[in-house]
């Protein structure tokens, strides 16, 4: 069963724009919500993560917003750059991943 | 480098062959994982080892056989595979099974002919 539902499947953003990727989870026992970034030919790499005791975490241009009551969390990429073009995965504590979002940032 | 090394990077095998994928981590982690990544499916968790003990097997067909001789090494033995098994096989490690921070290798691209 898919424990983490991610959307959209693909996203095209202009350089300098904001990219937003959403995830919804089912199991309220989850207490750690990471995002991974994967470039072609590479394995996923941890990008940023949040615990449910905070509603937002920011690292540089990347921000996670967490809505515990809605059981949703999202990744915001500010001032998106062509180098951000990759596939992004949300994950749940049980090491299961969302379906992935292929982000393309156009120059 | 991620600290997790997978070999080979590419593998082509026939359906009657037997081959093995190797994963080695240099991070001092105690948990290791096998994932399958197909073109149109989410990352699928296959097996989990924590302190060398298998703690999870997600209904993986028996033609995939994992082996974890120590906390630094993980193998995936393959035999009589099917074309639909063609995928990228990713190995990952974490400090232990309770800490969900995964370090992935760059995977083995497997093609079954």
């Amino acid at each position: 069963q898919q424990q983490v539902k991610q959307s959209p499947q693909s996203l095209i953003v202009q350089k300098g724009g904001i990219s937003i990727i959403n995830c919804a989870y089912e199991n309220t026992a989850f207490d750690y919500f990471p995002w991974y970034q994967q470039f072609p030919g590479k394995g996923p790499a941890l990008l940023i993560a949040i615990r449910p005791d905070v509603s937002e975490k920011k690292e540089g241009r990347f921000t996670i917003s967490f809505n515990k009551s809605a059981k949703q969390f999202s990744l915001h990429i500010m001032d998106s750059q062509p180098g951000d073009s990759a596939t992004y995965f949300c994950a749940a504590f049980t090491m299961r991943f969302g379906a992935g979002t292929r982000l393309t940032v156009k120059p | 480098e991620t600290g997790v090394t997978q070999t080979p990077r590419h593998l082509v095998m026939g359906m009657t062959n037997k081959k093995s994928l190797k994963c080695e981590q240099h991070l001092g982690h105690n948990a290791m994982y096998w994932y399958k990544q197909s073109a149109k499916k989410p990352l699928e968790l296959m097996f989990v080892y924590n302190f060398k003990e298998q703690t999870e097997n997600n209904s993986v067909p028996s033609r995939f056989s994992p082996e974890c001789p120590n906390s630094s090494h993980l193998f995936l033995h393959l035999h009589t595979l099917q074309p639909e098994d063609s995928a990228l096989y990713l190995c990952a490690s974490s400090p232990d099974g309770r800490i969900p921070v995964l370090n992935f290798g760059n995977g083995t691209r497997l093609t079954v002919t």
Side-chain angles (χ1 to χ4, degrees):
Chain A
Q1 71 282 18
Q2 191 177 353
Q3 300 181 349
V4 182
K5 294 183 180 179
Q6 183 174 345
S7 63
Q9 276 191 312
S10 62
L11 181 62
I12 299 174
V13 174
Q14 290 296 127
K15 180 182 175 182
I18 301 173
S19 304
I20 302 174
I21 305 170
N22 301 299
C23 270
Y25 62 97
E26 299 170 354
N27 190 332
T28 56
F30 296 158
D31 66 352
Y32 183 80
F33 300 90
W35 284 93
Y36 286 79
Q37 179 187 54
Q38 184 179 26
F39 293 105
K42 301 287 187 181
L46 180 65
L47 181 64
I48 186 172
I50 196 169
R51 292 201 180 270
D53 53 348
V54 297
S55 60
E56 186 174 283
K57 181 175 180 179
K58 184 176 181 179
E59 290 185 359
R61 296 184 293 109
F62 300 92
T63 300
I64 296 181
S65 296
F66 184 78
N67 186 331
K68 189 172 182 177
S69 60
K71 292 191 285 185
Q72 294 178 346
F73 59 110
S74 60
L75 175 68
H76 296 238
I77 305 174
M78 313 300 287
D79 186 27
S80 299
Q81 299 296 312
D84 297 329
S85 297
T87 301
Y88 293 81
F89 297 93
C90 58
F93 175 72
T94 53
M95 316 303 184
R96 283 160 175 81
F97 285 75
T101 297
R102 180 169 290 183
L103 171 66
T104 302
V105 180
K106 293 201 167 182
Chain B
E1 292 301 320
T2 67
V4 179
T5 303
Q6 290 187 244
T7 55
R9 289 300 310 275
H10 302 273
L11 178 63
V12 179
M13 60 185 288
M15 289 190 285
T16 58
N17 291 161
K18 288 185 180 181
K19 295 286 185 182
S20 296
L21 309 185
K22 179 182 177 182
C23 176
E24 183 174 3
Q25 57 96 0
H26 308 277
L27 301 167
H29 289 170
N30 293 300
M32 297 188 78
Y33 311 79
W34 279 116
Y35 283 87
K36 176 183 179 182
Q37 187 172 35
S38 305
K40 298 186 177 180
K41 287 187 175 181
L43 275 163
E44 298 173 65
L45 180 61
M46 301 174 72
F47 302 104
V48 181
Y49 279 83
N50 197 24
F51 292 92
K52 300 189 297 179
E53 297 296 320
Q54 187 179 122
T55 57
E56 193 158 349
N57 175 340
N58 282 291
S59 303
V60 180
S62 60
R63 57 186 184 269
F64 295 91
S65 175
E67 179 189 0
C68 188
N70 55 62
S71 293
S72 298
H73 294 87
L74 185 65
F75 295 89
L76 188 62
H77 304 299
L78 316 170
H79 65 96
T80 58
L81 294 190
Q82 304 298 309
E84 61 264 29
D85 297 321
S86 298
L88 181 68
Y89 289 85
L90 289 160
C91 172
S93 70
S94 68
D96 63 42
R98 296 174 296 113
I99 302 174
V101 177
L102 299 175
N103 286 78
F104 282 88
N106 289 324
T108 294
R109 173 67 63 184
L110 173 67
T111 303
V112 181
T113 61

